[in-house]
Amino acid sequence: MKNLKIGDKLTKLPLIQGGMGVGVSLGRLAGSVALEGGVGIISTAQIGYREADFDQDPAAANLRAIESEMKKARAISPDGIIGYNVMTALKEHAAHVKAAVKAGADIIISGAGLPTELPELVSGSSTKIAPIVSTNRSAQVILKYWDKKYKRTADLVVIEGPEAGGHLGFRREELADYTQEAYAEEIRKIIATVRSYAEKYGTEIPVVVAGGIYDSTDVKRIMELGADGVQVATRFVTTVECDADIRYKEAYIQASEEDIRIVKSPVGMPGRAIMNDLMRRVMSGEKIPHSPCHRCLAKCSPAEIPYCITDGLIEAVKGNVEKGLLFCGAKAYRAERIETVREVMEALFA
């Protein structure tokens, strides 16, 4: 693997810290990763949940927090590479992208749907853009669309595999079919697709693989597939610098492999989470009362959802781990202790 070039900056290690909402990867974690030579990513998903007016005006609270969290990250790493993860599925997706550009994002990574309008939203700025794809088909669709509509291509592509945490870019039945060997072939296909657009535009488009990357063995396996770097999220949850409550981190350390399940999110997508009281109630068919809508997702019907994803994620990040939604990657059960960001990065590339 060679180091990733983002704009005029170069990483010391070909690593992106995955964006984790709500509030798990904010300015402190992103800044700390950037300081150690990786790419630090702040998640904008309900990023303003700690703002005083969040319940009354979540849109304004989130925009304010996008700016303030970048300032925190820059205070830690003035010259590091820091960006945002902005989910396409967010109701305020366009506003978040524009706010991230204004805040000085080096890169915006966008998934949870195809970010078709992303090039237009960053137009005129130096902010780089990267779609998250899970299949070769989705890579072909987004790169072809950007090519035809905007006469440009991606600056970087993130491949998010079936062992990732949170919402997954697969149907539930596909997850059983994608063994590590089967998905390796999908990764090779995506890399070939990306390389074809890099050749067309006479540029380099780094391909970074995410999902189930926990140690140096995983990094070596991804290297052998021809990827340029890795994106790691779960391993950074149990760091000193992670922005989540200590009880959230301890839930990872205490979880067994059997505790990690594929669950159904309120909007119907499969996701991976740690089983707890909330998930047991939901899976038994109980409908969980929720707060007034905070307008997070574009496709959500508050009257029909079994529980509110914003409520669940906020409870979790605050440390109310039995009431919260504990999204995690497939290998979260391997966490044994609280580490520092530096220790994690050294271990990944040992």
Side-chain angles (χ1 to χ4, degrees), residues 190-200 205-207 226-228:
I190 296 170
I191 290 173
T193 293
V194 175
R195 297 285 184 260
S196 70
Y197 280 91
E199 187 176 334
K200 178 175 181 176
I205 308 174
V207 177
D228 300 295

Side-chain angles (χ1 to χ4, degrees), residues 206-315:
V207 177
V208 172
V209 176
I213 298 167
Y214 203 84
D215 60 21
S216 60
T217 304
D218 298 318
V219 174
K220 288 172 187 170
R221 172 173 54 83
I222 296 304
M223 286 173 66
E224 289 166 1
L225 296 175
D228 300 295
V230 292
Q231 178 176 286
V232 177
T234 291
R235 184 78 188 262
F236 284 110
V237 170
T238 49
T239 59
V240 174
E241 298 91 341
C242 175
D243 294 277
D245 186 273
I246 184 63
R247 289 168 292 179
Y248 187 103
K249 303 173 189 183
E250 288 170 347
Y252 274 46
I253 294 169
Q254 292 163 9
S256 67
E257 189 171 2
E258 292 71 32
D259 291 329
I260 298 170
R261 304 275 191 88
I262 299 298
V263 301
K264 190 175 180 180
S265 96
V267 290
M269 297 167 66
R272 182 173 279 108
I274 297 173
M275 284 298 292
N276 61 357
D277 184 57
L278 173 69
M279 280 296 102
R280 282 187 283 271
R281 291 169 66 192
V282 170
M283 291 173 81
S284 72
E286 185 177 344
K287 191 170 181 178
I288 311 297
H290 57 78
S291 63
C293 183
H294 288 89
R295 297 177 55 78
C296 61
L297 299 174
K299 295 180 180 178
C300 178
S301 177
E304 298 173 10
I305 54 174
Y307 68 101
C308 172
I309 195 163
T310 285
D311 286 355
L313 292 172
I314 289 175
E315 290 287 355

Side-chain angles (χ1 to χ4, degrees), residues 127-200:
T127 301
K128 304 302 179 184
I129 54 174
I132 297 176
V133 299
S134 293
T135 63
N136 187 40
R137 175 170 168 71
S138 58
Q140 290 172 334
V141 168
I142 193 63
L143 294 177
K144 183 178 180 180
Y145 186 88
W146 286 3
D147 177 36
K148 286 191 172 298
K149 184 167 183 179
Y150 302 106
K151 303 295 185 287
R152 69 157 296 174
T153 192
D155 298 300
L156 180 143
V157 172
V158 176
I159 302 174
E160 193 166 277
E163 292 188 304
H167 285 128
L168 303 170
F170 305 90
R171 296 189 302 274
R172 190 174 187 126
E173 55 271 22
E174 287 180 308
L175 294 172
D177 297 333
Y178 275 128
T179 61
Q180 200 168 88
E181 294 74 22
Y183 197 67
E185 185 56 35
E186 193 72 18
I187 290 172
R188 291 189 188 98
K189 289 178 182 177
I190 296 170
I191 290 173
T193 293
V194 175
R195 297 285 184 260
S196 70
Y197 280 91
E199 187 176 334
K200 178 175 181 176

